[in-house]
């Protein structure tokens, strides 16, 4: 008999995630606390316990309301919220039937709070059957860091290498944020990028919370690209076990000729090799049959293309259609 509960200590939860073959930062209690202290974010965590009071599965998801009130069109409440489960559920070997149990309980909570739930896979889930969830392809690039800097450099496309060299010759430097008071600079660069592509951005409290919770644990880094006294690019990465996760990125539109994105990624790859990380997870490359601008940028860093896909469960198809229309209007006006 399996019981589902949220009453579990952080230590027990994190020990399970750390020992799991597919354990990742997005399923840790540290991320739970990041979401807990973020405006418009509501985390949900569930744990599966067997008859011996042993953990056999965990699931951490978050309800996000970042579209609230866009354009004054009234997209509030359940019309604006979505639930994201990234890198989960995690279940013990031989316990594949626990994933649907965890997701069913999650849905019982999330359907009252969100329009739909998406599971962003970070590993192969072909053996898991999820009722009411539709699988869709979604690409990603993984870069092997278990080698030398020279080997990584040789895999990078020559056009990217040229851009990195040009950036260096132009005097672009990289700084790591060591004071939370610098986060507005980071956030302003993100805002500029997200406005350019007409995609809503999370509240700055997400990054403030991540800085406070994760940086002291060496689970996150916030870095900036600088040129002639002006900050022109930024990137945030998350780290867990032997993996670096590309999390958020931004750059000034006026400084793209200085290639801040290229040199920031190269800096992260160098840092990863020198600090004994094994994988750089580029954080997604879109649907294979849909145009996605960053895909070609990421491809040219020489990673391995994977297609772990995503699962989606729409809780209210009618509200989903209304929200899709509203979001298209938002993108056109922006």
């Amino acid at each position: 008999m399996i019981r589902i509960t949220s009453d579990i200590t952080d230590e027990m939860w994190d020990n399970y995630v750390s020992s799991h073959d597919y354990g990742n930062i997005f399923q840790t209690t540290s991320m739970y606390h990041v979401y807990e202290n973020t405006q418009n974010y509501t985390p949900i965590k569930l744990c599966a316990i067997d008859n011996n009071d042993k953990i056999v599965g965990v699931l951490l998801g978050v309800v996000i309301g970042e579209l609230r009130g866009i354009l004054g069109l009234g997209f509030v409440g359940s019309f604006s919220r979505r639930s994201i489960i990234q890198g989960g559920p995690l279940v013990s070997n031989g316990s594949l039937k626990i994933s649907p149990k965890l997701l069913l309980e999650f849905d019982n909570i999330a359907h009252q709070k969100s329009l739909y739930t998406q599971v962003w896979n970070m590993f192969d889930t072909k053996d898991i059957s999820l009722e009411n969830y539709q699988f869709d392809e979604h690409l990603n690039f993984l870069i092997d860091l278990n080698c030398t800097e020279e080997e990584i450099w040789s895999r990078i496309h020559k056009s990217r290498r040229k851009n990195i060299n040009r950036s260096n010759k132009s005097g672009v430097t990289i700084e790591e944020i060591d004071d939370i008071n610098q986060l507005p600079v980071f956030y302003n660069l993100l805002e500029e990028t997200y406005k350019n592509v007409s995609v809503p951005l999370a509240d700055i409290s997400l990054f403030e919370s991540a800085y406070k919770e994760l940086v002291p644990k060496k689970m996150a880094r916030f870095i900036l690209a600088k040129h002639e006294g002006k900050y022109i690019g930024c990137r945030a990465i998350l780290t867990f076990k032997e993996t670096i996760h590309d999390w958020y990125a931004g750059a000034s539109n006026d400084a793209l000729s200085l290639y801040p994105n290229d040199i920031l990624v190269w800096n992260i790859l160098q840092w990863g090799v020198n600090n004994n990380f094994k994988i750089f997870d580029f954080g997604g490359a879109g649907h294979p049959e849909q145009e996605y601008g960053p895909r070609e940028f990421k491809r040219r860093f020489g990673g391995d293309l994977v297609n772990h896909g995503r699962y989606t469960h729409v809780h209210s198809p009618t509200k989903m259609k209304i929200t899709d229309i509203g979001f298209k209007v938002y993108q056109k006006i922006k």
Side-chain angles (χ1 to χ4, degrees), residues 208-227:
E208 292 170 338
S209 179
Y211 192 92
K212 293 174 183 176
E213 179 73 26
L214 302 179
V215 170
K217 299 176 182 177
K218 300 189 183 301
M219 296 172 71
R221 293 179 75 222
F222 293 80
I223 56 176
L224 298 166
K226 190 175 185 180
H227 181 258

Side-chain angles (χ1 to χ4, degrees), residues 84-332:
I84 302 297
I85 300 166
Q86 189 165 0
L90 301 177
V91 299
S92 300
N93 290 336
S95 304
L96 294 179
K97 293 183 179 179
I98 294 173
S99 289
K101 290 179 182 293
L102 284 165
L103 282 165
L104 178 61
E105 185 63 28
F106 183 90
D107 286 343
N108 288 337
I109 301 170
H111 87 276
Q112 299 175 350
K113 302 179 179 181
S114 60
L115 182 65
Y116 65 91
T117 294
Q118 275 193 336
V119 180
W120 294 2
N121 299 323
M122 296 177 65
F123 49 89
D124 188 355
T125 60
K126 63 184 179 182
D127 294 328
I128 301 176
S129 177
L130 300 180
E131 188 177 353
N132 298 323
Y133 276 78
Q134 179 179 340
F135 180 82
D136 203 9
E137 294 183 280
H138 199 86
L139 304 174
N140 191 19
F141 288 99
L142 302 177
I143 297 178
D144 180 11
L145 301 180
N146 192 25
C147 56
T148 64
E149 279 188 32
E150 291 74 20
E151 288 174 304
I152 291 179
W153 182 257
S154 69
R155 296 177 197 149
I156 298 174
H157 191 276
K158 62 180 181 180
S159 63
R160 287 281 165 261
R161 297 201 300 261
K162 284 183 179 179
N163 291 347
I164 294 166
N165 287 331
R166 288 168 180 161
S167 189
N168 274 318
K169 289 178 181 178
S170 297
V172 176
T173 57
I174 306 298
E175 294 181 8
E176 183 166 357
I177 293 178
D178 58 7
D179 186 334
I180 196 170
N181 292 318
Q182 289 180 282
L183 280 183
V185 174
F186 171 90
Y187 191 74
N188 288 341
L189 288 164
L190 287 186
E191 277 191 311
E192 183 175 345
T193 297
Y194 276 65
K195 284 179 181 177
N196 286 340
V197 295
S198 299
V199 174
L201 176 64
D203 184 76
I204 192 173
S205 57
L206 172 65
F207 307 101
E208 292 170 338
S209 179
Y211 192 92
K212 293 174 183 176
E213 179 73 26
L214 302 179
V215 170
K217 299 176 182 177
K218 300 189 183 301
M219 296 172 71
R221 293 179 75 222
F222 293 80
I223 56 176
L224 298 166
K226 190 175 185 180
H227 181 258
E228 295 181 350
K230 181 182 178 181
Y231 291 106
I232 61 172
C234 67
R235 219 154 187 113
I237 59 170
L238 305 178
T239 61
F240 186 74
K241 295 202 286 189
E242 297 179 329
T243 300
I244 299 172
H245 300 276
D246 199 27
W247 196 35
Y248 277 87
S252 172
N253 200 48
D254 295 334
L256 296 181
S257 61
L258 294 168
Y259 307 105
N261 292 311
D262 301 70
I263 197 170
L264 281 164
V265 173
W266 173 236
N267 176 270
I268 292 167
L269 297 179
Q270 288 178 297
W271 179 84
V273 170
N274 293 327
N275 286 274
N276 301 314
F277 287 92
K278 305 301 182 188
I279 295 290
F280 176 72
D281 181 331
F282 235 139
H287 190 284
E289 296 180 4
Q290 297 175 359
E291 290 187 14
Y292 183 65
R295 184 185 302 139
E296 190 59 28
F297 172 82
K298 296 181 180 184
R299 183 193 305 278
R300 294 186 175 222
F301 276 91
D304 295 322
L305 182 65
V306 297
N307 188 356
H308 293 146
R310 292 178 174 179
Y311 292 100
T312 302
H313 178 204
V314 178
H315 302 296
S316 174
T318 301
K319 289 181 179 180
M320 187 73 173
K321 289 180 182 178
I322 295 172
T323 303
D324 281 344
I325 293 170
F327 185 64
K328 288 176 182 177
V329 172
Y330 167 79
Q331 288 185 308
K332 287 181 180 179

